[in-house]
Amino acid sequence: MSDPDKTRRRMRVRALAAAATLTLVAPMAACASGDGDGGTPTINLYYPPEQNLQKVVDDCNAQAQGRYKIAYRVLPRQADEQRVQMVRRLAAQDTGMDVLGLDVTWTQEFASADWILEWTGENKAEAEAGTLEGPLDTARYEDKLYAAPKNTNVQLLWYRKDLVQEPPTTWDEMIKTAQDLKQQGKPYQVLTMGAQYEGLVVLYNTLAESAGGRILSEDGEQAVMDEGTVRALEQLKAFATSGVASPSFSNATEDPVRLEFQSGAGAFQVNWPFVYPALQEANPDLAKQVGWARVPGIDEGTPSKVTIGGVNMAVSAYSKHPEESFEAAKCIRNEKNQKFSAINDGVPPTIEKVYDDPEMAEAYPMKETILEELREPAVRPLTPAYQSISTVMSAILSPPSGIDPQSTADELRSAIADALVSKGVLP
């Protein structure tokens, strides 16, 4: 007889996959790229909220000397809402979008749909010059460059120096250390994201890559789920059932994790660098006791590979001003402006030499650890179908305590194979 819980789970995963592959096209009036006073082209930049990005835009407008004017159109704060807005408008061939700030997981999808233009010639050379290879991988599709990485991101291990003399280098070591702290009646929890959303997929991808596993084949065409990915499932299950994860682990997202660690409940936190300035402001006494290190790996002596995030700059295929749009995108993500955004908005640069600037030392005391991870990163599966894959993966992995490693790997392989057939959200 079949397991009714598993049957219900499969039905839920299929429903989620179907929802993720629907084309979200709604009637929308096209907003053509307007011309400013005197016929100056307006380059509409659609980009996520970034507090000081307008200053970068102002700088680039001054540099353009009246040849065009960039207008910063702020996207919604939530990534899903950003994507829905852009998918709808690009599917409708809206000419009112020129430069697009894309999450690193969307570039291949948008390129496969012919919604963004390839970077070629001098534009390509400028985008690639000095840029870290991991972020560049997220900007390519079928060996062509379709975006220029503006900023990247990577999680770190944050740990209590007053509780732990040296940071653990493996997850097993971290779990054992936390269990010892628990027995001693000290703060012990290992805090990170385990809710059914992209954060759980990021955690699992880091574990899988650190174990040498492959979720997809090299060409991105087939679901693999090899032995390394099964070991990652074993590690995720072991952590979730170790007694040192937060009771809220299966519902935890980035900011609640930050707040829980900030309150003093945790000995360890795996989270993005935004937690550092927040901790300095909210709990300066605790901040003095917090150190950082590379996220633990799976095997002793084998460094982890940590999943990168970030934003790529793309040019819409429907822009009426592609030449000016490429120029605007290059300015917004140039070396000078990446340093400004890193220092003022906390978004790590993709141009490697920026990390050597003396001004980076104060804003990013953890910059060497960030750079160390960025030089050997984990990249999420590169495929136009990533959105569908992420949706089904988060459903199958949740809750992590319910993972049955080999069975879950088989279920993931089947669901990912189905998601690949969709080839992403296309009109």
Side-chain angles (χ1 to χ4, degrees):
M1 292 181 66
S2 62
D3 183 337
D5 288 338
K6 194 171 224 181
T7 301
R8 282 194 294 272
R9 193 180 192 185
R10 282 190 185 132
M11 290 174 66
R12 177 166 60 102
V13 168
R14 285 173 186 157
L16 285 165
T21 58
L22 287 174
T23 304
L24 301 169
V25 180
M28 182 176 293
C31 302
S33 298
D35 290 334
D37 294 337
T40 303
T42 297
I43 304 303
N44 290 307
L45 166 66
Y46 282 81
Y47 199 89
E50 196 170 290
Q51 187 173 352
N52 294 287
L53 187 63
Q54 186 60 52
K55 293 179 182 177
V56 171
V57 169
D58 293 343
D59 180 73
C60 289
N61 282 335
Q63 187 173 310
Q65 298 182 327
R67 288 177 293 108
Y68 58 83
K69 182 179 180 181
I70 306 167
Y72 177 21
R73 314 298 188 189
V74 185
L75 288 166
R77 188 161 294 279
Q78 296 299 318
D80 288 349
E81 294 176 21
Q82 295 168 18
R83 181 176 166 277
V84 165
Q85 181 178 142
M86 286 194 279
V87 164
R88 284 176 171 170
R89 295 184 64 171
L90 291 167
Q93 301 185 12
D94 189 335
T95 59
M97 307 180 86
D98 298 293
V99 180
L100 311 175
L102 303 182
D103 185 280
V104 292
T105 63
W106 303 338
T107 307
Q108 295 220 337
E109 176 189 353
F110 282 39
S112 74
D114 296 324
W115 289 339
I116 53 179
L117 297 175
E118 181 187 354
W119 288 60
T120 60
E122 196 61 37
N123 291 332
K124 179 175 183 284
E126 284 189 45
E128 291 180 338
T131 301
L132 290 158
E133 191 59 31
L136 272 175
D137 283 343
T138 72
R140 295 185 178 117
Y141 174 63
E142 293 185 342
D143 296 324
K144 296 177 181 179
L145 189 71
Y146 280 91
K150 175 189 174 289
N151 62 267
T152 186
N153 216 343
V154 70
Q155 295 178 354
L156 301 178
L157 173 66
W158 308 88
Y159 68 98
R160 290 274 298 271
K161 294 185 291 185
D162 56 330
L163 299 172
V164 182
Q165 288 189 337
E166 294 291 334
T169 58
T170 68
W171 278 81
D172 285 343
E173 181 187 352
M174 180 163 62
I175 291 168
K176 176 64 168 60
T177 301
Q179 289 171 337
D180 291 344
L181 289 170
K182 185 178 183 180
Q183 287 184 346
Q184 297 166 28
K186 297 178 180 179
Y188 66 88
Q189 289 181 352
V190 180
L191 305 170
T192 195
M193 291 71 75
Q196 185 183 319
Y197 81 121
E198 184 67 15
L200 177 57
V201 180
V202 167
L203 173 60
Y204 176 65
N205 190 69
T206 292
L207 294 173
E209 290 267 350
S210 297
R214 292 206 68 88
I215 295 172
L216 294 185
S217 57
E218 190 72 38
D219 60 9
E221 296 292 326
Q222 295 182 4
V224 176
M225 294 302 298
D226 58 14
E227 183 181 346
T229 65
V230 176
R231 291 190 63 213
L233 289 168
E234 292 170 350
Q235 185 70 79
L236 184 55
K237 169 71 175 283
F239 168 60
T241 58
S242 63
V244 297
S246 169
S248 62
F249 172 56
S250 62
N251 294 304
T253 57
E254 283 90 344
D255 212 45
V257 166
R258 171 186 70 85
L259 292 170
E260 197 168 1
F261 186 82
Q262 233 169 245
S263 72
F268 302 99
Q269 175 185 204
V270 176
N271 211 335
W272 306 95
F274 82 99
V275 304
Y276 176 76
L279 182 61
Q280 299 285 324
E281 183 176 342
N283 194 339
D285 290 336
L286 178 62
K288 295 173 185 175
Q289 302 297 335
V290 174
W292 52 83
R294 191 171 184 148
V295 171
I298 302 295
D299 296 313
E300 187 67 46
T302 302
S304 61
K305 289 193 170 184
V306 186
T307 304
I308 58 173
V311 177
N312 292 336
M313 305 289 294
V315 173
S316 168
Y318 307 110
S319 171
K320 289 186 174 181
H321 307 287
E323 183 178 344
E324 293 87 352
S325 295
F326 276 110
E327 185 176 332
K330 289 188 295 183
C331 180
I332 289 164
R333 58 87 58 191
N334 68 20
E335 184 179 326
K336 171 189 170 185
N337 288 327
Q338 283 204 29
K339 185 183 84 169
F340 175 87
S341 294
I343 291 171
N344 292 280
D345 284 321
V347 285
T350 59
I351 297 174
E352 186 168 1
K353 69 181 294 187
V354 176
Y355 290 87
D356 296 330
D357 192 287
E359 290 183 59
M360 286 288 289
E362 184 176 351
Y364 281 85
M366 73 297 291
K367 67 175 185 173
E368 292 303 324
T369 307
I370 290 175
L371 199 51
E372 181 184 315
E373 291 186 345
L374 287 174
R375 287 179 177 137
E376 301 177 276
V379 175
R380 279 167 277 189
L382 295 173
T383 168
Y386 180 77
Q387 194 69 22
S388 300
I389 289 172
S390 174
T391 300
V392 298
M393 284 184 68
S394 65
I396 292 170
L397 292 169
S398 182
S401 59
I403 289 172
D404 177 351
Q406 189 59 61
S407 176
T408 300
D410 294 341
E411 189 177 358
L412 282 167
R413 187 183 301 108
S414 176
I416 291 169
D418 289 344
L420 282 168
V421 176
S422 76
K423 299 298 180 187
V425 180
L426 302 177

